[in-house]
Amino acid sequence: MTEFRFARRSAILGKSVFDHAPGTIALNSGAAYPPCLPDVVREATEAVGPLREEAMQYAPLMGLDDLRDEICNFVAEDGIKANRENVLVTYGSKSAFDLALRTFCEPGDTVIVTRPTYMTAVHIMRTHNVRFLDIGQDEQGFDAEELARKLAIMENNAEQMPKLLFDVPDFHNPTGVTTSLARRKRMLELAQRYNFVICEDDPYRRIRFEGEVIPSIKSMDTTGHVISLGTVSKILAPGLRVGWAIGDAGVIRRMAMQKADGGSNAFAQRIVVQLMRSNKMAKHIDEMIHHMRIHRDEMIAAFAEHLPEAEIRAPQGGYFLWAKLPEESDAERLVELGIEEGVEISSGRLSFPNDDPGNFIRMAYSFIEVDDIKDGIAKLGVAWRKLQTQAQAA
Amino acid sequence: MTEFRFARRSAILGKSVFDHAPGTIALNSGAAYPPCLPDVVREATEAVGPLREEAMQYAPLMGLDDLRDEICNFVAEDGIKANRENVLVTYGSKSAFDLALRTFCEPGDTVIVTRPTYMTAVHIMRTHNVRFLDIGQDEQGFDAEELARKLAIMENNAEQMPKLLFDVPDFHNPTGVTTSLARRKRMLELAQRYNFVICEDDPYRRIRFEGEVIPSIKSMDTTGHVISLGTVSKILAPGLRVGWAIGDAGVIRRMAMQKADGGSNAFAQRIVVQLMRSNKMAKHIDEMIHHMRIHRDEMIAAFAEHLPEAEIRAPQGGYFLWAKLPEESDAERLVELGIEEGVEISSGRLSFPNDDPGNFIRMAYSFIEVDDIKDGIAKLGVAWRKLQTQAQAA
């Protein structure tokens, strides 16, 4: 048996967040709601028909000009001023984030994240061998004052200062929290003061059920310290694999040079151009909001019925519900018992980059039908009672 | 102006190989021949129509099972025995190579390459901050004995041994050379003896105009020391962005964990499944061979007429012609003068990871029409004579 000489980062092995236990109700998947997946037959036919030479050829490194223009129009609604040179098309916001890490971080560099943070971002950051400075989050979102205190201490101690901050300020994954305007301003001040770059990952921004829209951090950025990461995965379809990074033109160009694959998929990019130009995208977003609000409400109601011990905050948008179980509850074990009962959720452990409190779980309400949400949480309730019984017996 | 704190690898800036001078005849582009781009309207319509839930959703991390099976069938013709677990679907062989680098290499590790080697692979390797051990190439291909000597010395000196070898054994990019069977066997022996992994990049293998097929290195691998990198870019279309890595199941799984983007593009993957299952791919390959042979012959004839001083070896397949100019010729300057005349070629400098001899150029005959090949080399001849005049005047 060959003993391969892997890089350190290859120690990350084990379960992918894309693996699901077969035959279970998948409450662990932030995949799209199947009945809402867009019909793109017309757009695809055009892309590979009259536009075949574009669709079947290598795309420009930065992405299609038409798409970069449409993305500028799209984010203008968020108050973000961008020109084509500020936009890099990628395979989704995850790959855009990966390019930002490649552009800024050496192994051992520090990235600022919320505690907890997006599990797949943790995975990607681990492949870069970075360290995590994890910062708390409350009902106002990212605890910018905790960060300010910690940075001041680090600077005093002449420690190596963080280079990047990753956050999902709107309908945070996993907690669903939206960061307040005051906190966002403070985050930006700190980025400018300590010269780190904020990766503002905003896939759920348009999937708002209620409450006031809060300006994106990027819309307040005058110094290039914010890279806005976007994707069509939640506003159109994940399968299109089209996302983007918006930032300072020099930063964006450097990020482009880190792409291993050239100009990505012209074919899917053209489909997205057509969907953005037509009313299909706007209609699709309205539909998603309609369904996701119902899904959220059903899941919260099911928790009240089957697992009332869980502490839950209703998110104003997005795909996820985050639950705190009573102290000392073993969330990892609950996940296992859930699979035995036929429901799959995510342990909070995946979302804590450093220490896991051990009693948090994440549920997605995006992918499954309302009946399965009810049924899934009922099964989770059964698993929860089993966990209680086992804990008492131990 | 913000002074961003970039990672070291971000020093790689400047011209992308995907940028072309507008209005010139692009002899620097390994893009596909436009008249041969496949018609996939039927396949695309099926993928986004009846199979919409697959196409528009996140794909499985390893790629579609159906595609992994088809890839196994496809490479079986090359004598490669692979099961589904040995196959990872990627966005092309470049992204597969990037994943191999992520899986094996730390910054400062050494990668073995030919001198010269594929320019985009050099670019990707530079983003990993690796060092290059460059090995010569002659008409038999990779100089395995030079490598054997160098490795023996490095081992004696207790130096850090290379972890990876990158090569294009069939119709090498840029030189067009095909490595002999004896050399391939010796490369594999050395990989096993010194425990490094060979990334065998084989995009052009099926685009053979003449001569005997030589077994792939992967087909002789019994220890998992070879990762075969494949793509549909040359046998179907670059725009599909579908490629793969084939290797030891444990290595492949680790490579999958390095993906930042999850399961890539189900949509394009399904189109490729359908094309591989039908006779369309085989027909397309036959067409490509037909046209590329004509293109090669025309380009060689044009060199004989307009730039006979260039030393050229006719490749038996693939997309590229490599030319040695007389010693002391300034290839970089020739590239500039060529653009002034309206033709764009690549300087050999991009293909030499360490020292550039300075007098090599690379031409691609894949992308352009026969008339433009003739016209382009004629323009290059004009530029060449200007270069001679300037050199004499200096």
Side-chain angles (χ1 to χ4, degrees), chain A residues 103-124:
Chain A
T103 302
F104 287 97
C105 293
E106 310 282 352
D109 277 352
T110 300
V111 178
I112 303 160
V113 294
T114 48
R115 181 177 65 241
T117 187
Y118 173 34
M119 58 171 81
T120 304
V122 173
H123 177 96
I124 294 169

Side-chain angles (χ1 to χ4, degrees), chain A residues 50-69:
Chain A
L51 301 173
R52 191 202 301 185
E53 283 200 21
E54 174 189 81
M56 290 293 109
Q57 194 60 275
Y58 292 110
L61 179 61
M62 305 293 286
L64 296 183
D65 285 348
D66 283 350
L67 179 57
R68 292 159 77 206
D69 290 345

Side-chain angles (χ1 to χ4, degrees), chain A residues 2-3 5 7-10 37 52 56 58 98 102-103 106 123 162 195 223 234 239 241 257 261, chain B residues 2-3 5 8-10 37 52 56 58 98 102-103 106 123 162 195 223 234 239 241 257 261:
Chain A
T2 305
E3 288 284 335
R5 292 184 295 146
R8 269 188 303 154
R9 65 172 74 85
S10 291
L37 289 169
R52 191 202 301 185
M56 290 293 109
Y58 292 110
D98 184 65
R102 285 173 89 127
T103 302
E106 310 282 352
H123 177 96
N195 197 15
T223 52
K234 314 301 173 183
R241 303 318 306 132
M257 297 307 285
D261 173 55
Chain B
T2 305
E3 287 285 334
R5 293 183 293 147
R8 270 188 301 154
R9 63 171 77 83
S10 291
L37 289 168
R52 190 203 302 186
M56 290 292 109
Y58 291 110
D98 184 64
R102 285 174 89 126
T103 301
E106 310 282 352
H123 178 96
N195 197 15
T223 52
K234 313 302 173 184
R241 303 316 308 132
M257 297 307 285
D261 172 58

